[in-house]
Amino acid sequence: MSDEPSPGPPPSQPEPSAESRERVPKLLEVMRCVGSGTDPRTALDRIRETAAALTGARYAAIGVTAEDGERLADFSQHGTGHGQHGIGHGQHGTDFLRHGPDETADHRTGPAEHPPPRGSLGVPIRVRGEVLGTLRLADKRGGEPFDEEDLVLARVLAAEAGIALGNARLYEAARQRERWIDGSVAVTTALLSGDDTDDALQVVAEQARRLSGAAAGVVLLPVDGGGLEIAAVSAPRPPESLGTVVPPSSGIATELLAGRSVRVDDAATDPRLADGLARAYGPTLLLPLCSDGRVLGGLVMARARGERPFTRAERDLADGFAAQAALALMVAEAQRDRERLAVLEDRDRIARDLHDLVIQRLFATGMLLADAQRGAAVAEVGDGVGRAVDGLDVTIQEIRSAVFALRQPAEEPSGLRTRVQREIAMAAVPLGFTPAHRWVGPVDSAVGETTGKNLIAALREALSNAFRHAGASRIEVVVDATVTLPDGRPGVRLTVADDGVGLRTGGRRSGLRNLERRAESLGGASRTGPGIGPDGAGTTVVWEAPY
């Protein structure tokens, strides 16, 4: 037998007090509330009320810190008492954060210059090691200080608050990512759908504004000379800034063109944005549209003055959105290049056919008619044949002009007349006929570059609408540089009239709205009226702007 003494009974553990046993069901109820996926605000309210009840505090508060850690994103309180004033959250929560707790220290300690009220208790609310807020209690009933058991209870409840906040933030982050992904899909679809490029850029601006909660979304595109032009704007009011060029001397343009993002705390006071366009905005995010090392433009998301700044998570999501939009822009550009190449090849083929076949046959027919005219015995017949020969000569000259226009390089610098002719010649391919056109006044010398560029875009849109929607058999184009606008300024007026089916009731108006936006951005206007068909059939589009 062993000589070792047999072990005695284990030492008795102290029995939990009746008060502690009463607290357990309430703690379990809080845990059930948090675990059931209840709305985080409801869960925090329950935690706060339970903390006050279990510790005997007359006052309880929970403050949730913002991303910068310098202010409160949310603050709620329960109960009243003189401790309420000692740990008040102040204008931006600085008082509450300054009295922020350190659970390893005495729970009544704080900075010497701002001591917390006697009988207060505070514990941090942590999520995966990161402090997201504070649970504070004050004014224990009976005037007694909080004891260690109160501190343990507060820590348990703060842990539950951390779980509720963590779950809520994860859920909101997932929803945010889903919204940004949906927005990226909408942008990609718009850019690759083959619709008007300006409409697609408008979709980019609108999605950027909606997803970021901004007051304005802006798309910038590079221009010759190194600046950035405002190509699309989404804002509550009509975009007067459309077409404005940010000069290359601007620090913002330099940063974006170099492929670097810019974050501005207040656009109205930042010296890099010291112009009238930025005065109405506050926190602003400017992102380059980069793909494969190439800067395709810039994307601006501007919030109203006084709004909260962009969080780190929002900036990351916006970066991904801008990268996806840039990739879609590049793919859409490649798609348009392929389509343009196909059109150019088709134009070259048509030019060869016109020159080698049509003109030769017309010339041969004219010679036959000339011989017939000389041998005609009746004078009236000879006169008729002569008129036919003259008509053939005019037709041959018109065809030769068309051949020259078809073969003219698109990149060759040219005046406004030549560019208008080029657009008309390109439209003749899908239309099957060449629209009639004429000029009034000094079109090339009077119309400035910005107005001329927008006029060409308006002409392209009007001819495209006539081809795709009007079913016209006759189109007349007039460019008049002698008009006087309603406000007395000299201007240029583009008129495109057809004899098609006219505007359909309930049909899409995106193209016409785009014409209006372009004209209004220059201080002009755009309107529609009856066409040139019988009884006004068809549509007339009038676009005008100052020089």
Side-chain angles (χ1 to χ4, degrees):
M1 295 181 60
S2 173
D3 294 333
E4 294 181 3
S6 60
S12 60
Q13 299 292 329
E15 292 290 332
S17 65
E19 183 180 0
S20 297
R21 288 194 297 270
E22 291 176 358
R23 288 171 168 175
V24 171
K26 294 184 178 179
L27 284 175
L28 293 175
E29 177 62 23
V30 169
M31 294 178 183
R32 186 200 64 79
C33 175
V34 173
S36 64
T38 306
D39 174 72
R41 188 60 185 264
T42 302
L44 292 179
D45 289 344
R46 178 74 64 85
I47 290 170
R48 193 181 60 248
E49 294 167 3
T50 302
L54 295 183
T55 61
R58 291 190 177 92
Y59 177 76
I62 289 181
V64 180
T65 59
E67 187 180 89
D68 56 16
E70 299 296 328
R71 59 189 178 86
L72 288 177
D74 190 17
F75 181 86
S76 57
Q77 58 188 2
H78 170 75
T80 57
H82 67 268
Q84 175 180 358
H85 305 287
I87 59 173
H89 56 92
Q91 182 179 3
H92 300 290
T94 51
D95 293 343
F96 194 91
L97 295 175
R98 183 167 53 233
H99 298 148
D102 181 352
E103 61 177 328
T104 62
D106 187 304
H107 43 272
R108 292 196 302 269
T109 61
E113 65 272 21
H114 294 287
R118 180 174 179 80
S120 69
L121 182 151
V123 290
I125 298 173
R126 288 190 171 95
V127 177
R128 293 183 292 277
E130 180 185 358
V131 176
L132 293 186
T134 303
L135 168 63
R136 294 196 63 84
L137 305 169
D139 276 351
K140 186 168 182 176
R141 291 180 177 84
E144 300 177 0
F146 293 99
D147 55 26
E148 292 301 322
E149 189 171 355
D150 294 330
L151 180 57
V152 171
L153 284 169
R155 288 174 177 171
V156 172
L157 291 168
E160 292 300 316
I163 293 173
L165 284 176
N167 291 341
R169 293 198 173 189
L170 287 173
Y171 177 69
E172 180 58 29
R175 289 188 58 193
Q176 267 194 332
R177 282 194 296 271
E178 182 180 359
R179 289 196 297 268
W180 283 90
I181 290 172
D182 290 343
S184 297
V185 171
V187 165
T188 303
T189 302
L191 287 170
L192 300 182
S193 63
D195 289 341
D196 184 81
T197 303
D198 290 330
D199 288 344
L201 293 177
Q202 187 66 26
V203 172
V204 176
E206 290 171 356
Q207 290 292 336
R209 176 193 173 199
R210 179 183 68 85
L211 294 170
S212 63
V218 181
V219 176
L220 305 169
L221 295 181
V223 295
D224 295 337
L228 290 168
E229 180 185 8
I230 297 178
V233 178
S234 174
R237 290 183 297 176
E240 300 176 356
S241 58
L242 193 66
T244 302
V245 175
V246 181
S249 58
S250 166
I252 291 296
T254 302
E255 293 291 317
L256 290 178
L257 290 173
R260 293 188 289 268
S261 302
V262 180
R263 180 187 175 193
V264 175
D265 293 329
D266 188 0
T269 59
D270 194 287
R272 295 170 296 180
L273 294 170
D275 55 41
L277 302 177
R279 290 175 185 166
Y281 302 111
T284 302
L285 197 59
L286 302 101
L287 304 173
L289 295 172
C290 296
S291 183
D292 197 22
R294 178 184 168 198
V295 178
L296 303 174
L299 181 62
V300 182
M301 288 164 274
R303 286 177 173 163
R305 298 201 69 183
E307 290 288 327
R308 61 179 179 84
F310 290 92
T311 65
R312 183 172 58 252
E314 288 174 328
R315 295 197 299 271
D316 292 341
L317 290 169
D319 283 336
F321 176 83
Q324 181 65 30
L327 178 60
L329 274 173
M330 179 168 282
V331 174
E333 182 178 335
Q335 178 176 296
R336 287 193 298 273
D337 286 343
R338 288 193 298 270
E339 293 173 353
R340 190 178 299 113
L341 179 60
V343 170
L344 291 174
E345 290 176 347
D346 203 27
R347 288 171 58 188
D348 190 57
R349 178 188 58 79
I350 293 171
R352 287 196 308 269
D353 290 345
L354 288 174
H355 182 270
D356 298 339
L357 299 176
V358 178
I359 291 181
Q360 297 299 329
R361 290 178 179 176
L362 287 174
F363 186 73
T365 303
M367 292 182 65
L368 291 174
L369 289 173
D371 290 341
Q373 182 184 20
R374 285 192 295 270
V378 180
E380 290 80 1
V381 173
D383 293 341
V385 172
R387 287 193 296 271
V389 171
D390 293 339
L392 284 176
D393 289 338
V394 172
T395 302
I396 290 172
Q397 292 301 320
E398 290 179 348
I399 293 176
R400 283 176 173 166
S401 298
V403 169
F404 174 77
L406 285 170
R407 286 180 169 173
Q408 186 175 11
E411 295 78 11
E412 181 180 322
S414 54
L416 183 58
R417 286 178 182 240
T418 304
R419 284 183 284 170
V420 168
Q421 277 186 311
R422 186 182 303 151
E423 292 297 328
I424 291 173
M426 290 184 67
V429 176
L431 284 170
F433 63 91
T434 301
H437 53 279
R438 62 186 178 92
W439 294 271
V440 180
V443 173
D444 282 337
S445 60
V447 181
E449 179 62 26
T450 301
T451 301
K453 183 174 70 173
N454 283 275
L455 184 145
I456 291 298
L459 172 62
R460 186 182 302 127
E461 179 70 34
L463 291 175
S464 175
N465 288 339
F467 165 65
R468 290 187 296 176
H469 309 300
S473 61
R474 185 162 61 101
I475 298 176
E476 295 180 359
V477 177
V478 179
V479 180
D480 187 351
T482 64
V483 302
T484 301
L485 300 181
D487 59 4
R489 289 183 294 174
V492 60
R493 176 180 297 148
L494 168 69
T495 305
V496 181
D498 64 65
D499 62 349
V501 298
L503 296 175
R504 294 183 176 88
T505 303
R508 291 184 62 207
R509 297 290 188 270
S510 59
L512 295 177
R513 285 196 298 270
N514 185 41
L515 293 178
E516 293 172 0
R517 285 200 303 268
R518 284 187 175 277
E520 290 170 359
S521 69
L522 299 171
S526 180
R527 59 187 180 274
T528 59
I532 56 175
D535 299 324
T539 306
T540 296
V541 176
V542 179
W543 186 95
E544 58 188 16
Y547 293 150

